[in-house]
Amino acid sequence: MSNGAIAVRTGRRTGRSPKDRFIVRDSITDSTVDWNAINQPFAKPDFDALWQRVQNYLDQLSSYRGHMHVGAHPDHYLPVVVNTEFAWHQMFATALFVQSTDFNPKSKPVWTVLNVPGFVCEPERDKTRSNGTVIIDFTGRRVLVAGMRYAGEMKKSMFSVMNFLVPDDDILPMHCSANVDAAGKVALFFGLSGTGKTTLSSDEECLLIGDDEHGWGTDTVFNFEGGCYAKCINLQRETEPVIYDAIRFGAILENIDLNEETREPDFFSSKFTENTRAVYPRSNIRFCVPDNRAGEPETIIFLTCDVSGVLPPVSILSKEAAAYHFLSGYTAQVGSTVVGATEPFSATFSAGFGAAFLPRPPRVYAELLMHRIEAFGSKVFLVNTGWTGGAYKDGHRISIPDTRRIVRAVRSGELDEVPTTFIPRLNLTIPTQIFGIDSTILNPRDTWTDLDAYDLARDSLIAKFNENFAQFETSQAIVDAGPS
């Protein structure tokens, strides 16, 4: 590219392939993993045989190896050796994972990632679902990515590994971004793809810890990664300057359309996919926390992109309501990272805002979250970055500048001093004024011209919440804190 970044294509798979993801079922995982359509079991003998076939294939080629950490904490890290068939996959891992001048100083058992896109799986022989697969082996400390070019599978596999392991150390693993403001206060941003997690944490007025995966323990929030993996569809410097300026030498762009003559990227093109991506090291960011970790969070923000236009731009959550909305993980599939997602504006629920990467039962993570909130006194907010004035066909999306202003009001403590009102049925408390924000947008019902239509949309969304939440076994206080 003209700016020194490298542009690559990932072929047919331009996002994660969750149906091809497995966990080896053995004595460690049998009773601890939440086996379901996301966490699918794979027999250990079949995995051992497949791993050896892939290793034999790679041994015939020139390959690439790197030594790195997952987890930017001197105690809570995993040493990882990454072996790749493609040079750009090794560059991806180098940009994304933590590069330490002292590899594995505590001499921990080493994990191995084997990423071999050229190996074509044969389902009948290899016991896979298709010609590509992702398999995690906790006993052998191995991750296999075979037959897939999409580099994000390496990242999310190691995130899943951390999600399984660190709760044993009383650490909450989180699918969230994190930053520190000028006063030294830490904020966490939970959210699924398309909700603005990376965009809102990449703020020129704050120092970034990380944009996607963190651990929260006593006295610390630490990044699992050493880089960022940002969505690029419709990227503009005017609204997302931190991300835009980070895409330069050292960055890798996945599936982004280029002008053949100028080599300039067209961030507005979805020629290859809506899930266009850029990976870049934190060194490409001007404003980041040098240690890649900080203290515990004063502010927790749950981001949702509500396409129904029902939820307020910001709500203040009690401890019980925080547990409810954490377990719900509601948003819509806007710019989905999943291959084959065909309903981009359908409601979706993902426990912990990251169910696809949570090997243990959701209650394990919810209980850890509540423990951390209670111990430190964090304040929790639900921020809707989706639609207002109607659903996505009739209303309009809340602007990024408005959402940024709301987030700054949230984390500065400004909302502690403003009047609030209670929205029944949604069971949410909202501010009635925020400096710099048109007050009419704060209560979503006030933005609809057809109030009966709003009420119908609200009732429909509440029914979806209730149907989804029925799967969880939790206290009545948490159930009562949700919509009804």
Side-chain angles (χ1 to χ4, degrees):
M1 285 177 48
S2 60
N3 60 8
I6 293 175
V8 298
R9 305 277 185 266
T10 64
R12 181 174 65 87
R13 287 183 169 94
T14 58
R16 294 183 298 106
S17 300
K19 294 181 180 179
D20 292 302
R21 175 187 176 277
F22 301 88
I23 296 173
V24 174
R25 190 164 194 164
D26 55 24
S27 59
I28 289 180
T29 59
D30 183 56
S31 61
T32 52
V33 166
D34 185 23
W35 301 109
N36 51 38
I38 294 172
N39 299 316
Q40 304 176 93
F42 203 89
K44 189 177 189 316
D46 294 332
F47 175 76
D48 289 341
L50 177 56
W51 177 277
Q52 191 59 56
R53 280 192 286 271
V54 176
Q55 186 65 68
N56 291 342
Y57 168 89
L58 190 61
D59 287 344
Q60 306 304 310
L61 307 172
S62 296
S63 58
Y64 305 87
R65 173 175 293 200
H67 295 72
M68 49 206 75
H69 291 172
V70 176
H73 192 281
D75 297 317
H76 307 297
Y77 72 89
L78 288 183
V80 182
V81 174
V82 179
N83 296 323
T84 65
E85 178 182 5
F86 292 171
W88 78 264
H89 277 161
Q90 191 64 224
M91 294 174 64
F92 178 99
T94 300
L96 190 70
F97 295 137
V98 177
Q99 304 305 309
S100 176
T101 55
D102 185 13
F103 176 72
N104 196 16
K106 292 187 176 296
S107 299
K108 295 184 176 186
V110 177
W111 276 74
T112 301
V113 174
L114 194 59
N115 187 355
V116 187
F119 183 91
V120 180
C121 297
E122 298 179 14
E124 185 174 346
R125 178 195 67 188
D126 298 324
K127 312 304 180 185
T128 58
R129 191 191 70 92
S130 72
N131 63 357
T133 195
V134 180
I135 307 173
I136 301 172
D137 173 21
F138 284 100
T139 297
R141 295 185 295 278
R142 297 179 291 181
V143 172
L144 175 64
V145 182
M148 297 182 179
R149 293 172 178 258
Y150 180 66
E153 297 285 12
M154 285 191 292
K155 164 191 165 73
K156 292 305 184 183
S157 294
M158 287 311 303
F159 182 31
S160 298
V161 169
M162 293 291 277
N163 286 347
F164 181 80
L165 296 176
V166 299
D168 288 340
D169 295 325
D170 199 30
I171 291 171
L172 172 65
M174 305 173 294
H175 184 214
C176 74
S177 56
N179 65 18
V180 182
D181 67 11
K185 295 181 178 180
V186 175
L188 305 180
F189 301 79
F190 287 80
L192 299 174
S193 180
T195 59
K197 179 165 50 68
T198 299
T199 296
L200 294 170
S201 61
S202 300
D203 187 334
E204 289 186 310
E205 295 186 6
C206 298
L207 297 179
L208 184 72
I209 302 173
D211 81 324
D212 200 44
E213 300 167 4
H214 294 82
W216 179 4
T218 302
D219 298 327
T220 186
V221 165
F222 63 96
N223 198 352
F224 286 171
E225 304 175 303
C228 299
Y229 192 41
K231 289 180 66 65
C232 291
I233 195 69
N234 301 326
L235 178 66
Q236 302 178 72
R237 194 184 190 285
E238 292 74 15
T239 54
E240 301 177 82
V242 175
I243 297 173
Y244 192 93
D245 290 345
I247 298 175
R248 51 190 172 85
F249 184 81
I252 301 173
L253 273 63
E254 282 186 328
N255 301 313
I256 292 176
D257 196 11
L258 300 181
N259 183 298
E260 293 185 1
E261 294 183 0
T262 66
R263 310 304 294 167
E264 291 290 332
D266 181 359
F267 292 121
F268 290 89
S269 172
S270 57
K271 177 179 178 180
F272 302 105
T273 178
E274 284 279 332
N275 186 37
T276 54
R277 290 275 178 171
V279 63
Y280 46 86
R282 290 173 75 255
S283 58
N284 277 25
I285 304 170
R286 286 187 298 158
F287 307 106
C288 62
V289 178
D291 289 338
N292 210 358
R293 60 185 186 273
E296 298 192 55
E298 283 81 3
T299 306
I300 298 172
I301 296 170
F302 296 158
L303 297 169
T304 180
C305 178
D306 176 32
V307 296
S308 71
V310 166
L311 294 181
V314 59
S315 306
I316 304 164
L317 302 183
S318 66
K319 175 183 63 179
E320 292 78 13
Y324 182 95
H325 286 282
F326 178 78
L327 283 169
S328 296
Y330 165 68
T331 192
Q333 293 187 21
V334 180
S336 175
T337 63
V338 176
V339 170
T342 57
E343 298 182 66
F345 294 105
S346 61
T348 187
F349 295 87
S350 182
F353 296 95
F357 323 115
L358 302 182
R360 296 180 185 264
R363 67 175 183 277
V364 172
Y365 306 100
E367 289 169 0
L368 261 175
L369 175 70
M370 293 302 98
H371 166 60
R372 287 285 158 218
I373 289 173
E374 290 173 355
F376 190 71
S378 307
K379 295 181 179 179
V380 188
F381 303 83
L382 180 68
V383 172
N384 175 25
T385 63
W387 269 250
T388 186
Y392 73 93
K393 291 182 179 179
D394 303 309
H396 61 276
R397 192 162 187 183
I398 299 167
S399 72
I400 292 176
D402 275 354
T403 301
R404 284 199 187 279
R405 175 67 192 102
I406 288 169
V407 167
R408 287 166 184 163
V410 161
R411 67 184 307 167
S412 69
E414 182 180 328
L415 297 195
D416 296 342
E417 309 298 330
V418 302
T420 62
T421 189
F422 180 74
I423 302 179
R425 300 293 314 281
L426 292 178
N427 217 359
L428 293 172
T429 298
I430 65 168
T432 57
Q433 62 184 49
I434 299 176
F435 180 75
I437 297 293
D438 181 357
S439 296
T440 59
I441 75 166
L442 296 178
N443 190 327
R445 195 170 188 269
D446 295 341
T447 66
W448 286 55
T449 56
D450 186 339
L451 298 185
D452 289 337
Y454 173 84
D455 291 343
L456 286 173
R458 177 202 61 201
D459 293 348
S460 175
L461 181 60
I462 289 172
K464 291 174 183 176
F465 266 100
N466 292 338
E467 180 182 1
N468 172 73
F469 207 79
Q471 67 182 291
F472 301 116
E473 294 182 5
T474 187
S475 71
Q476 190 61 43
I478 292 174
V479 175
D480 292 342
S484 61

